[in-house]
Structure formats: structure tokens, C-alpha cells
């Protein structure tokens, strides 16, 4: 299908989508075609430049969604995401050089990248932020930052986390040293909420921004303008960030506080967790948890999304009508597990540790989730596969089973995709197939053994995913936990991957995804078919 027809068909279908979440889900059904078809980024940007375009906003939203989906594809070891991002950057740079990219479109593209948490092309950054060098050199913001912060606070009616996210959207494109200058400038203000903004920035992905936030908070502490939440949370949040200079400053601040007396305890939240809703790990969208917090007729949801292998992907609170709609939708979903509170905390501690192992602190929203869920002392809990085995008590539970019963539990893994819909999404990134093809000197048919060999390197990853699932199923009282635990145990014991039904599913699902992508790649990009 020609690129223009593909985009129009997609946009017509997406017109029924209400909001970015629905748009994301609708676009996801076409992501292979949209990410894999050459010319999609340039066609979208050219359309944005058309003054007569009536659905320009929809093009911008779709571009943001596709940038975000490309980022996820890169994370899950796919091959289309990197190509899409590269092609988009090349097209944008060419339009900048050609002088055809106007300021409004450049601004819209920059915000789309920022919201998708992807670094924009350098030419776009230089075009949209001419004051970056002055900002970095002066150490303070050269624009009307105070007025903007005050405007956002009024706009979002004192919701400081949303103010933080809006500021991040605006300044995400800046180099780290310039963003650090913005943080220092905001944190130097006297208001309590500016200290809360700095607390959120302690969990920034940039070490320079984290250092600026830690230094600013330590300075606020010396001046006596730090709110009680920071004092109470500081020892815990210090464990959520990598052991760098920012951690050292927080440790020094903690020593200063101890000299003044004991830490002030956190206030108990008004709403207490009544139940936890959870999903099994999914292929690319992360694993969702919802703690339902209730007090009378009030309802708050603490949402936490874990991405196996990368840690906490998102964390935030929902209230009011949005919370009621969200929990109603989740409770009627057949994939939802009703989890005990005791089963929830170890997963969150594990996710924080897993993110730190990858060099990533958790997202800033985890601060609000921890406060709302009375988890002010939640520290990372590193766990390898064998530690998960111990946690689910699988070793003792399975060791007494006859060999035929354990074999039956492993064979049962072939039914997981039918009985647990999210398991059907389990697959490897398609780059593994491409690498296997590149390793083969003979006919393409010889790539299968090479793929299995590369999959061997992922044995621990898949064992952890299965044991995490076993832990959740056990916490929800689901008998299938034993099958997940027994299959993970077989993986750890070195059983041949091709003899494990769920791993055969992973192989074939990955191969099917690779073949689907091939249909949208240029012929001269296309390796010989398997």
C-alpha cells in the first residue's frame, strides 16, 4: 500500500479514538506497517507543513505515538524502531537544511519527541532552542522561568507532579547541563512546592540533573525550607538512585538531619489499600499493577508499571472519575489477577533494583505512589532467578513430585498462551532473527539453530519472567503457579530450550513477527527469507 494511502487509512480508523491512550492502542494494531514502511515519517511531516490540512493535530499525535512505539521496539530488541527513528531524524535534518521546516512545526515535533521520551535530532534542538548555549554558560535560565512555573501551577490547580511533568516536556530537549541549571533555578525559590519539584528531579535519568536536585535540596535543608515529606523520604529515595555524587550529597544531608534529632515520621495516608489488581508480564507494554486505595466514597489508584529487565517504567496516581473508569475496566478484564498486598511489595522492590542494575532510577511518580501506599521505607530488593524460586517456595514444593508430574507441569506450558492471554504475546525481539541470519554462511534454513543458540543467552531472563508470573499467580490463589515455577526450574537446570513448549512458542512467535516485518521493508533491505 502506498505511504499516503496507509496513513489516511490509519488516520481514518483512529478518528474514533478518544485521547492518547486510545490512540496508542489503535495505532499499535498497525505498528508493524507504520514503523516498517519507508517514507512514513517524511509523509507525516510534509502533511504537518500543509496549511490547508484539517487534521494536523491528529498527524502530530500519531507522530508522537509512533516515536514512542519505536522507542519500545528498540527496548524489546526489535529492528524496526531503530530504523524508524533514524529515518525520521534524517528527514527532519534534510528539511532543516532545505529551510522548509517552519518554527511552529519544529516546536510541535520537538514536543512530540519530548513526550515520547526520545532525544530529538540535534538540528531540531538547535533550531528550537537558540538560547541553550547561553543557558548552559550562565548557569541560570535566560527566559521567564518563574512566570512559567507559576502559570503551570495555576493551570494544574496545585498538582505539583503534573507541573513537574509539564516542565519536563518543555525542557527535555535541553542538554543535561542546561536542564540542571533549570532545576537549580527552580529549587532556589522559597516555596515548599519548589522543593517538591526538586524531590521529583532526584529520580531523573540524567546524573547531572540528579546532582543539581540533590545539591539544591541539601541547600534548602540548610536554609530550613524543606518540607516534611522530603525529610522523611530522603533515606529511602537515596536507595533508589545510582551510587553517584547525588547519592553522596543525600547521605551528607541525612547526617545533618540526624544531628538535629530523629527523622519526622511520614504521615499515614488517609486512604488504605483495599486490594491490588495485577497483570502477568506482557511482551512489550510492561506489566501493570493497580493498588486500590479507599476511604469512604473516595477512591485513589496507585498505578505501577514494571518492565521485566528494565525496572519500573511508570508510576502515578489516578483520582476521581478517571480512577473509577480505570478500575472498572480492569476489574472486568479476564487477564486481571486479584493480588494479596503481601505479594505486591516484593515485586515493587525487585523492579526498583532491576532498574538500578540497568543504570535507571525509577520514575518520579514513584514518590507519590510510595507516599499513598505507605511504602516510605521501600528499598530495592535485587533478586536473581534462584531467589525468585526461593520466594515462591517452588524448590521445596516441587522437589517431592515424581518426575512424571514435574514433566506434566512443564508440558502444560504449551497451554499458557490459551489460558493466559498475555502470555500469547511472549516473543523475542526480531533483531535476534536478523543476527542469526547474519551469522549463517549457508542457506537461510540453517538460521534456526543459530537463533536457538542466541536464545540461550536469554535463559535467565525467561526464567525470571516465569517465576515472577508464578509469584503473582500464587499470590492470586491460581493453581497454575506450579506450572510456571516448574518450567522456570527446568530452564535453570539446563533443559534444552527446544524441548520446552513455551519456548517453542517464543521461537515461532518471534519468527512470525519477523516475517510480518519483512513485508514492509524495502526489497534490498530484506535478508533471504527463512
Amino acid at each position: 500500500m502506498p505511504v499516503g494511502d496507509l496513513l489516511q487509512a490509519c488516520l481514518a480508523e483512529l478518528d474514533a479514538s478518544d485521547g492518547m491512550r486510545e490512540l496508542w492502542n489503535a495505532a499499535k494494531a498497525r505498528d508493524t506497517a507504520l514503523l516498517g514502511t519507508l517514507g512514513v515519517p517524511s509523509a507525516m511531516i510534509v502533511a504537518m507543513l500543509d496549511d490547508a490540512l484539517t487534521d494536523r493535530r491528529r498527524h502530530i499525535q500519531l507522530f508522537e505515538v509512533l516515536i514512542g512505539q519505536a522507542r519500545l521496539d528498540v527496548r524489546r530488541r526489535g529492528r524496526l524502531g531503530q530504523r524508524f527513528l533514524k529515518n525520521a531524524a534524517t528527514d527532519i535534518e534534510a528539511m532543516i537544511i532545505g529551510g522548509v521546516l517552519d518554527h511552529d512545526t519544529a516546536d510541535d515535533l520537538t514536543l512530540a519527541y519530548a513526550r515520547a521520551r526520545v532525544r530529538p535530532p540535534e538540528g531540531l534542538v538547535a533550531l528550537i532552542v537558540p538560547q541553550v548555549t547561553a543557558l548552559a554558560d550562565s548557569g541560570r535560565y535566560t527566559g521567564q522561568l518563574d512566570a512559567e512555573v507559576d502559570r503551570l501551577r495555576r493551570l494544574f490547580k496545585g498538582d505539583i507532579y503534573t507541573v513537574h511533568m509539564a516542565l519536563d516536556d518543555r525542557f527535555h530537549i535541553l542538554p543535561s547541563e542546561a536542564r540542571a541549571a533549570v532545576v537549580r533555578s527552580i529549587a532556589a525559590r522559597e516555596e515548599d512546592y519548589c522543593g517538591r519539584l526538586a524531590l521529583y528531579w532526584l529520580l531523573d535519568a540524567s546524573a547531572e540533573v540528579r546532582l543539581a536536585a540533590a545539591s539544591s535540596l541539601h541547600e534548602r535543608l540548610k536554609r530550613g525550607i524543606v518540607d516534611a515529606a522530603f525529610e522523611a523520604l530522603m533515606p529511602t529515595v537515596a536507595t533508589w538512585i545510582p551510587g553517584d555524587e547525588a547519592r553522596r550529597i543525600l547521605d551528607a544531608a541525612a547526617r545533618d538531619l540526624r544531628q538535629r534529632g530523629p527523622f519526622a515520621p511520614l504521615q499515614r495516608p488517609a486512604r488504605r489499600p483495599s486490594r491490588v489488581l495485577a497483570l502477568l508480564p506482557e511482551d512489550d507494554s510492561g506489566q501493570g499493577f493497580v493498588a486500590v486505595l479507599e476511604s469512604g466514597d473516595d477512591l485513589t489508584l496507585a498505578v505501577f508499571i514494571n518492565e521485566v529487565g528494565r525496572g519500573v517504567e511508570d508510576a502515578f496516581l489516578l483520582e476521581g472519575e478517571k480512577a473509577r473508569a480505570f478500575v472498572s475496566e480492569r476489574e472486568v478484564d479476564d487477564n486481571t489477577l486479584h493480588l494479596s498486598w503481601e505479594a505486591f511489595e516484593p515485586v515493587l522492590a525487585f523492579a526498583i533494583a532491576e532498574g538500578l542494575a540497568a543504570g535507571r532510577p525509577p520514575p518520579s511518580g514513584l514518590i507519590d505512589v510510595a507516599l499513598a501506599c505507605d511504602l516510605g521505607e521501600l528499598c530495592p530488593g535485587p533478586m536473581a532467578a534462584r531467589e525468585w524460586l526461593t520466594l515462591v517456595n517452588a524448590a521445596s514444593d516441587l522437589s517431592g513430585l515424581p518426575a512424571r508430574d514435574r514433566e506434566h507441569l512443564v508440558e502444560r506450558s504449551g497451554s499458557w498462551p490459551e489460558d493466559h492471554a498475555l502470555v500469547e504475546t511472549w516473543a523475542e525481539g526480531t533483531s535476534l532473527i536478523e543476527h542469526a541470519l547474519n551469522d549463517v554462511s549457508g542457506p537461510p534454513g540453517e538460521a534456526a539453530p543459530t537463533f536457538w543458540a542466541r536464545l540461550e543467552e536469554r535463559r535467565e531472563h525467561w526464567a525470571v519472567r516465569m517465576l515472577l508470573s508464578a509469584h503473582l499467580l500464587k499470590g492470586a490463589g491460581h493453581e497454575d503457579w506450579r506450572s510456571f515455577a516448574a518450567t522456570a526450574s527446568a530452564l535453570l537446570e539446563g533443559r534444552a530450550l527446544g524441548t520446552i513448549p513455551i519456548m517453542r512458542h517464543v521461537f515461532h512467535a518471534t519468527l512470525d513477527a519477523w516475517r510480518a516485518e519483512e513485508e514492509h521493508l524495502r526489497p534490498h533491505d530484506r535478508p533471504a527469507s527463512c
Side-chain angles (χ1 to χ4, degrees), residues 177-316:
E177 64 272 16
R179 292 180 59 226
V182 170
V183 170
R184 285 191 292 268
S185 181
I186 293 174
R189 292 176 51 165
E190 296 282 333
E191 297 93 335
D192 278 351
Y193 74 85
C194 292
R196 176 57 71 95
L197 288 170
L199 181 59
Y200 289 135
W201 274 310
L202 277 179
L203 299 179
D204 196 86
S206 163
E208 290 177 90
V209 172
R210 293 196 300 271
L211 178 58
S215 301
S216 298
L217 285 166
H218 196 184
E219 183 61 31
R220 290 179 71 89
L221 183 63
K222 294 175 182 176
R223 294 163 58 193
I225 55 172
V226 171
D227 63 16
F230 168 70
E231 293 189 15
L233 272 178
M234 183 177 59
T236 298
V237 174
T239 70
W240 297 355
I241 65 177
D244 52 17
E245 184 66 10
R247 171 84 73 86
R248 187 191 66 77
I249 290 175
L250 287 181
D251 290 341
R255 287 193 297 270
D256 291 348
L257 278 177
R258 290 190 188 97
Q259 290 174 1
R260 302 182 185 187
F263 289 112
L266 280 170
Q267 287 188 335
R268 304 284 291 192
R271 301 173 182 86
R272 303 292 296 158
S274 62
R275 59 197 184 281
V276 177
L277 311 177
L279 297 173
L280 292 181
E282 194 172 356
D283 175 44
D284 59 356
S285 301
Q287 173 187 20
F289 296 82
V290 179
V292 183
L293 314 173
E294 294 178 303
S295 176
D297 294 332
D298 290 336
L299 176 69
T300 297
L301 303 182
V303 182
F304 150 62
I305 299 174
N306 172 39
E307 187 176 336
V308 180
R310 289 186 56 84
V312 185
E313 176 63 21
D314 205 356
F316 54 90

Side-chain angles (χ1 to χ4, degrees), residues 34-45:
L34 289 167
L35 295 180
T37 301
L38 189 68
V40 166
S42 60
M44 295 184 70
I45 298 169

Side-chain angles (χ1 to χ4, degrees), residues 386 458-464 466 485-497 500 502-503:
R386 295 199 178 277
R458 303 276 288 164
R459 191 179 281 266
E460 173 88 5
H461 167 85
W462 285 104
V464 167
M466 292 173 198
T487 305
S489 183
L491 271 176
L492 296 175
E493 290 167 2
R495 176 165 169 165
L497 296 179
I500 300 175
I502 188 59
M503 297 311 296

Side-chain angles (χ1 to χ4, degrees), residues 385-386 388-389 392 394-395 397-399 401 403-417 420 423 426 458-471 473 479-506:
R386 295 199 178 277
W388 274 112
L389 268 175
V392 299
D397 194 87
L398 299 173
S399 60
L401 292 178
R404 67 178 180 277
D405 290 345
R406 295 189 65 178
E407 178 63 24
H408 175 73
L409 290 173
V410 174
E411 287 300 316
R412 161 123 186 84
S413 71
S415 300
W416 295 352
H420 306 279
V423 176
W426 287 12
R458 303 276 288 164
R459 191 179 281 266
E460 173 88 5
H461 167 85
W462 285 104
V464 167
R465 179 177 289 218
M466 292 173 198
L467 287 166
L468 177 56
S469 301
H471 171 73
L473 290 166
E479 185 63 25
D480 235 2
W481 78 267
R482 288 184 173 83
S483 176
F484 280 79
T487 305
S489 183
L491 271 176
L492 296 175
E493 290 167 2
R495 176 165 169 165
L497 296 179
T499 67
I500 300 175
I502 188 59
M503 297 311 296
R504 292 199 295 270
H505 166 84
V506 169

Side-chain angles (χ1 to χ4, degrees), residues 48-49 51 56 60 101-111 127-128:
M48 293 177 206
L49 293 168
D51 292 334
R56 184 177 186 276
I60 296 167
L101 199 63
D102 62 71
H103 182 82
D104 287 345
T105 303
D107 190 47
D108 288 333
L109 290 172
T110 303
L111 280 174
L127 183 67
I128 200 66

Side-chain angles (χ1 to χ4, degrees), residues 365-389:
L366 187 62
I367 289 171
D368 290 343
V369 167
L371 288 170
C373 294
D374 199 17
L375 295 173
E377 298 181 356
L378 179 70
C379 294
M383 289 207 296
R386 295 199 178 277
E387 291 169 304
W388 274 112
L389 268 175

